[in-house]
């Protein structure tokens, strides 16, 4: 049995004070039936880690180099120093706006694993690719590049977030059938790359306009182990509702 994992991705939202207030309000609602967490902006990470007893706290990105002339970037040792144990990498917004590629995501994954920080690796196709029937090819290609040359035991512990780009922040969401089909493709590709044991162990999230009204349907699917949640993770009431509905 794979333990469900539901993580809110706050993106560029919440000051330090707002992040702490949210965690203080939600942390006690968490239960052992699933792993719950939030992806917080860099400035809010340290205080968020201090206040989270049950929630996991993830960085929203990192650089693969430990130091150097990379203005505005944050390294893995910097995350280690403040106690971060999880990190989102390869989000479509990072790929589209800031030049992340499968190659850089792969380098980040390797550095995070080396440091004992769990990567949450994001993949997903654009609307044009979906309309062209290219979803499966894109998913397999992104996984092949982003997860290249890892050890099978390492892959068992990472989290993969399938987020169709056309469903992120648009109010649209992939049907339960499409989400399940694509998450099954993810698991099948992991099996091709790293074997059945790794494929059965790795946790796969769906992301894209997930909210309290549809979380139960997605979580009922055999290959969906959780969700990476955007807008619905910004409000205490809606995220608490999601936690309560996934007991």
């Amino acid at each position: 049995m794979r333990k469900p994992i539901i993580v809110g991705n706050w993106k560029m939202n919440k000051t330090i004070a707002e992040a702490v207030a949210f965690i203080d309000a939600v942390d006690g609602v968490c239960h052992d039936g699933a792993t719950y967490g939030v992806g917080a902006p860099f400035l809010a990470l340290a205080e968020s880690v201090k206040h989270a007893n049950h929630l996991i706290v993830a960085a929203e990105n990192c650089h693969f180099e430990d130091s150097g002339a990379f203005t505005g970037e944050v390294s893995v040792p910097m995350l280690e120093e403040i106690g971060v144990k999880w990190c989102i990498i390869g989000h479509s917004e990072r790929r589209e706006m800031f030049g992340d590629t499968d190659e850089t995501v792969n380098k980040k994954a390797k550095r995070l694993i080396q440091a004992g920080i769990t990567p949450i690796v994001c993949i997903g196709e654009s609307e044009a690719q979906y309309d062209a029937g290219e979803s499966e090819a894109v998913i397999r290609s992104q996984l092949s590049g982003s997860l290249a040359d890892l050890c099978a035991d390492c892959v068992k512990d990472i989290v993969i977030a399938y987020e169709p780009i056309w469903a992120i922040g648009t109010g649209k969401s992939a049907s339960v059938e499409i989400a399940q089909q694509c998450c099954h493709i993810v698991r099948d590709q992991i099996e091709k790359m790293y074997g059945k044991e790794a494929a059965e162990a790795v946790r796969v999230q769906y992301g894209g306009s997930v909210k309290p009204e549809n979380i139960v349907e997605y979580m009922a699917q055999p290959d969906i182990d959780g969700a990476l949640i955007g807008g619905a993770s910004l409000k205490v009431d809606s995220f608490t509702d999601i936690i309560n509905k996934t007991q």
Side-chain angles (χ1 to χ4, degrees):
M1 291 291 292
R2 297 180 296 270
K3 188 174 185 178
I5 178 165
I6 296 172
V7 177
N9 180 16
W10 286 346
K11 307 186 181 184
M12 197 178 70
N13 291 290
K14 297 197 182 298
T15 63
I16 296 172
E18 289 169 342
V20 167
F22 182 99
I23 288 171
D24 287 346
V26 172
D27 195 71
V29 183
C30 297
H31 52 81
D32 292 335
T35 301
Y36 296 97
V38 293
F42 286 130
L43 284 176
L45 281 172
E47 286 301 312
S48 295
V49 168
K50 290 178 185 176
H51 282 256
N53 296 308
H54 304 290
L55 287 164
I56 64 169
V57 176
E60 296 178 12
N61 185 41
C62 68
H63 200 280
F64 50 81
E65 295 287 359
D66 286 358
S67 62
F70 305 105
T71 302
E73 291 290 332
V74 170
S75 70
V76 172
M78 294 173 186
L79 298 180
E80 286 184 279
E81 187 176 42
I82 60 173
V84 171
K85 297 296 184 185
W86 300 75
C87 185
I88 300 167
I89 54 174
H91 193 279
S92 61
E93 290 156 3
R94 299 296 313 178
R95 292 176 185 260
E96 289 189 328
M97 290 185 271
F98 301 101
D100 258 357
T101 64
D102 294 337
E103 181 182 4
T104 60
V105 172
N106 182 240
K107 289 180 179 180
K108 293 176 184 184
K110 289 175 178 175
R111 185 63 187 88
L112 289 165
I113 290 168
Q114 182 185 20
I117 298 175
T118 302
I120 301 174
V121 182
C122 299
I123 60 165
E125 79 281 13
S126 68
E127 187 167 16
Q129 290 166 330
Y130 172 74
D131 289 340
E134 298 172 352
S135 297
E136 179 171 353
V138 171
I139 290 168
R140 292 188 185 277
S141 175
Q142 288 183 338
L143 287 171
S144 295
S146 299
L147 302 184
D149 302 318
L150 303 178
C151 69
D153 284 340
C154 295
V155 173
K156 291 178 188 177
D157 294 329
I158 70 171
V159 176
I160 300 170
Y162 165 67
E163 292 192 298
I165 297 170
W166 47 271
I168 299 174
T170 62
K172 300 178 183 178
S173 54
S175 69
V176 171
E177 293 77 17
I178 291 173
Q180 161 58 24
Q181 180 183 28
C182 290
C183 288
H184 178 74
I185 292 168
V186 170
R187 206 172 299 284
D188 182 68
Q189 182 63 27
I190 295 299
E191 182 172 353
K192 290 181 187 304
M193 295 173 68
Y194 292 107
K196 185 166 184 162
E197 192 174 335
E200 289 180 346
V202 70
R203 291 188 286 181
V204 181
Q205 297 175 310
Y206 167 72
S209 299
V210 177
K211 48 199 170 187
E213 293 77 14
N214 59 24
I215 183 69
V216 174
E217 284 185 280
Y218 288 117
M219 295 294 294
Q221 304 309 303
D223 287 301
I224 299 177
D225 305 310
L228 188 62
I229 300 171
S233 73
L234 294 175
K235 296 180 179 178
V236 168
D237 290 348
S238 58
F239 200 63
T240 299
D241 197 8
I242 286 171
I243 292 172
N244 290 333
K245 286 185 173 180
T246 51
Q247 290 194 45

